[in-house]
């Protein structure tokens, strides 16, 4: 057997033994909040008493707005490298970016015309 294989096996064996041992020790030695009602209560975003249940359904408009945000936000990932290399790309790179921005603008106009962002 090679030395690397023996070393990797020892590391895996050590992790398999050490991690569950540490989890069990932290559970046994750490503080328990079993009887503390204040620490076990729900507190999320400044609201201490939740309204409704966790299985309530959202309108598809929320998801549509989220997808549109991601779609129009990710374009920055493509625009930043272009902005850094605009001089090296020359006229062809400028034409490509104007085409890209034009397609994004066309998509935004389309979204506006079908009233995808209206909350009616």
């Amino acid at each position: 057997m090679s030395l690397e294989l023996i070393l990797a096996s020892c590391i895996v064996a050590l992790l398999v033994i050490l991690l569950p041992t540490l989890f069990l020790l932290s559970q046994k030695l750490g503080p328990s909040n079993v009887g503390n009602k204040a620490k076990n209560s729900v507190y999320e975003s400044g609201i201490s008493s939740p309204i409704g249940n966790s299985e309530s359904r959202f309108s598809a408009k929320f998801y549509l707005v989220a997808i549109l945000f991601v779609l129009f936000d990710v374009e920055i990932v493509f625009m930043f490298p272009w902005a850094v290399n605009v001089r090296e790309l020359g006229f062809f790179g400028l034409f490509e970016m104007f085409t890209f921005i034009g397609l994004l603008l066309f998509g935004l106009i389309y979204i506006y015309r079908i009233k995808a962002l209206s909350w009616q």
Side-chain angles (χ1 to χ4, degrees):
M1 273 193 179
S2 68
L3 186 61
E4 291 87 11
L5 187 60
I6 292 173
L7 181 63
S9 300
C10 289
I11 290 172
V12 168
L14 181 70
L15 287 175
V16 165
I17 293 170
L18 186 65
L19 287 177
T21 304
L22 288 175
F23 283 129
L24 288 173
L25 277 176
S26 68
Q27 183 180 15
K28 297 296 180 191
L29 298 176
S32 65
N33 296 325
V34 176
N36 196 341
K37 188 175 181 178
K39 284 190 177 182
N40 292 332
S41 66
V42 177
Y43 184 82
E44 184 175 339
S45 301
I47 300 171
S48 59
S49 58
I51 300 170
N53 59 5
S54 63
E55 298 174 1
S56 62
R57 298 192 180 266
F58 289 101
S59 172
K61 293 282 186 180
F62 289 108
Y63 300 109
L64 180 64
V65 169
I67 289 172
L68 292 174
F69 172 75
V70 170
L71 177 73
F72 287 105
D73 192 46
V74 169
E75 74 209 25
I76 300 300
V77 173
F78 297 112
M79 286 182 179
F80 183 74
W82 171 81
V84 171
N85 297 320
V86 67
R87 289 187 181 161
E88 296 167 6
L89 295 173
F91 182 72
F92 184 68
L94 185 66
F95 177 72
E96 282 184 343
M97 187 49 63
F98 279 143
T99 305
F100 179 67
I101 291 172
L103 287 171
L104 287 173
L105 184 64
F106 177 73
L108 190 61
I109 291 169
Y110 174 74
I111 288 169
Y112 181 74
R113 291 189 90 199
I114 66 169
K115 297 184 181 4
L117 300 177
S118 66
W119 290 94
Q120 301 293 329

PDB file of all heavy atoms in Angstrom, residues 14 25 35 50 54 72 81 93 101 107 111:
ATOM      1  N   LEU A  14     -10.214   8.691  11.630  1.00  0.00           N
ATOM      2  CA  LEU A  14     -10.211   9.666  12.711  1.00  0.00           C
ATOM      3  C   LEU A  14     -11.460  10.546  12.667  1.00  0.00           C
ATOM      4  O   LEU A  14     -12.085  10.808  13.699  1.00  0.00           O
ATOM      5  CB  LEU A  14      -8.948  10.530  12.625  1.00  0.00           C
ATOM      6  CG  LEU A  14      -8.794  11.589  13.705  1.00  0.00           C
ATOM      7  CD1 LEU A  14      -8.501  10.917  15.036  1.00  0.00           C
ATOM      8  CD2 LEU A  14      -7.722  12.571  13.331  1.00  0.00           C
ATOM      9  N   LEU A  25     -20.605  14.733  22.946  1.00  0.00           N
ATOM     10  CA  LEU A  25     -20.084  15.488  24.084  1.00  0.00           C
ATOM     11  C   LEU A  25     -20.735  16.861  24.202  1.00  0.00           C
ATOM     12  O   LEU A  25     -21.053  17.313  25.300  1.00  0.00           O
ATOM     13  CB  LEU A  25     -18.565  15.639  23.955  1.00  0.00           C
ATOM     14  CG  LEU A  25     -17.723  14.473  24.444  1.00  0.00           C
ATOM     15  CD1 LEU A  25     -16.263  14.717  24.154  1.00  0.00           C
ATOM     16  CD2 LEU A  25     -17.945  14.238  25.919  1.00  0.00           C
ATOM     17  N   GLY A  35     -36.802  23.142  29.700  1.00  0.00           N
ATOM     18  CA  GLY A  35     -37.890  23.737  30.449  1.00  0.00           C
ATOM     19  C   GLY A  35     -38.036  25.234  30.251  1.00  0.00           C
ATOM     20  O   GLY A  35     -38.891  25.853  30.857  1.00  0.00           O
ATOM     21  N   PRO A  50     -46.248  34.167  15.668  1.00  0.00           N
ATOM     22  CA  PRO A  50     -46.540  34.046  14.240  1.00  0.00           C
ATOM     23  C   PRO A  50     -48.031  34.021  13.954  1.00  0.00           C
ATOM     24  O   PRO A  50     -48.830  33.567  14.770  1.00  0.00           O
ATOM     25  CB  PRO A  50     -45.884  32.721  13.858  1.00  0.00           C
ATOM     26  CG  PRO A  50     -45.780  31.960  15.122  1.00  0.00           C
ATOM     27  CD  PRO A  50     -45.649  32.969  16.221  1.00  0.00           C
ATOM     28  N   SER A  54     -47.428  27.566   8.651  1.00  0.00           N
ATOM     29  CA  SER A  54     -46.287  27.592   7.743  1.00  0.00           C
ATOM     30  C   SER A  54     -46.614  27.015   6.368  1.00  0.00           C
ATOM     31  O   SER A  54     -45.769  27.037   5.477  1.00  0.00           O
ATOM     32  CB  SER A  54     -45.128  26.813   8.345  1.00  0.00           C
ATOM     33  OG  SER A  54     -45.499  25.454   8.505  1.00  0.00           O
ATOM     34  N   PHE A  72     -32.795  39.862 -14.474  1.00  0.00           N
ATOM     35  CA  PHE A  72     -32.260  41.169 -14.811  1.00  0.00           C
ATOM     36  C   PHE A  72     -31.107  41.581 -13.899  1.00  0.00           C
ATOM     37  O   PHE A  72     -30.422  42.556 -14.181  1.00  0.00           O
ATOM     38  CB  PHE A  72     -33.366  42.222 -14.787  1.00  0.00           C
ATOM     39  CG  PHE A  72     -34.285  42.092 -15.962  1.00  0.00           C
ATOM     40  CD1 PHE A  72     -35.540  41.558 -15.827  1.00  0.00           C
ATOM     41  CD2 PHE A  72     -33.863  42.491 -17.221  1.00  0.00           C
ATOM     42  CE1 PHE A  72     -36.374  41.431 -16.917  1.00  0.00           C
ATOM     43  CE2 PHE A  72     -34.686  42.366 -18.315  1.00  0.00           C
ATOM     44  CZ  PHE A  72     -35.944  41.833 -18.165  1.00  0.00           C
ATOM     45  N   PRO A  81     -17.350  42.254 -16.857  1.00  0.00           N
ATOM     46  CA  PRO A  81     -16.121  41.959 -17.619  1.00  0.00           C
ATOM     47  C   PRO A  81     -16.045  42.753 -18.924  1.00  0.00           C
ATOM     48  O   PRO A  81     -14.958  43.144 -19.353  1.00  0.00           O
ATOM     49  CB  PRO A  81     -16.207  40.456 -17.908  1.00  0.00           C
ATOM     50  CG  PRO A  81     -17.184  39.929 -16.959  1.00  0.00           C
ATOM     51  CD  PRO A  81     -18.116  41.037 -16.628  1.00  0.00           C
ATOM     52  N   GLY A  93     -16.951  44.493 -29.820  1.00  0.00           N
ATOM     53  CA  GLY A  93     -17.412  44.288 -28.449  1.00  0.00           C
ATOM     54  C   GLY A  93     -18.485  45.287 -28.069  1.00  0.00           C
ATOM     55  O   GLY A  93     -19.439  44.954 -27.362  1.00  0.00           O
ATOM     56  N   ILE A 101     -27.797  44.524 -24.479  1.00  0.00           N
ATOM     57  CA  ILE A 101     -28.635  45.470 -23.746  1.00  0.00           C
ATOM     58  C   ILE A 101     -29.969  45.664 -24.473  1.00  0.00           C
ATOM     59  O   ILE A 101     -31.020  45.793 -23.845  1.00  0.00           O
ATOM     60  CB  ILE A 101     -27.896  46.804 -23.546  1.00  0.00           C
ATOM     61  CG1 ILE A 101     -26.735  46.601 -22.575  1.00  0.00           C
ATOM     62  CG2 ILE A 101     -28.832  47.882 -23.006  1.00  0.00           C
ATOM     63  CD1 ILE A 101     -25.818  47.788 -22.444  1.00  0.00           C
ATOM     64  N   GLY A 107     -36.914  42.506 -23.597  1.00  0.00           N
ATOM     65  CA  GLY A 107     -37.551  41.651 -22.591  1.00  0.00           C
ATOM     66  C   GLY A 107     -38.269  42.453 -21.535  1.00  0.00           C
ATOM     67  O   GLY A 107     -39.367  42.105 -21.104  1.00  0.00           O
ATOM     68  N   ILE A 111     -42.265  42.389 -20.751  1.00  0.00           N
ATOM     69  CA  ILE A 111     -42.805  42.146 -19.411  1.00  0.00           C
ATOM     70  C   ILE A 111     -43.766  43.262 -19.015  1.00  0.00           C
ATOM     71  O   ILE A 111     -44.818  43.018 -18.428  1.00  0.00           O
ATOM     72  CB  ILE A 111     -41.653  42.008 -18.399  1.00  0.00           C
ATOM     73  CG1 ILE A 111     -40.939  40.691 -18.621  1.00  0.00           C
ATOM     74  CG2 ILE A 111     -42.145  42.102 -16.969  1.00  0.00           C
ATOM     75  CD1 ILE A 111     -39.654  40.578 -17.867  1.00  0.00           C
TER      76      ILE A 111
END
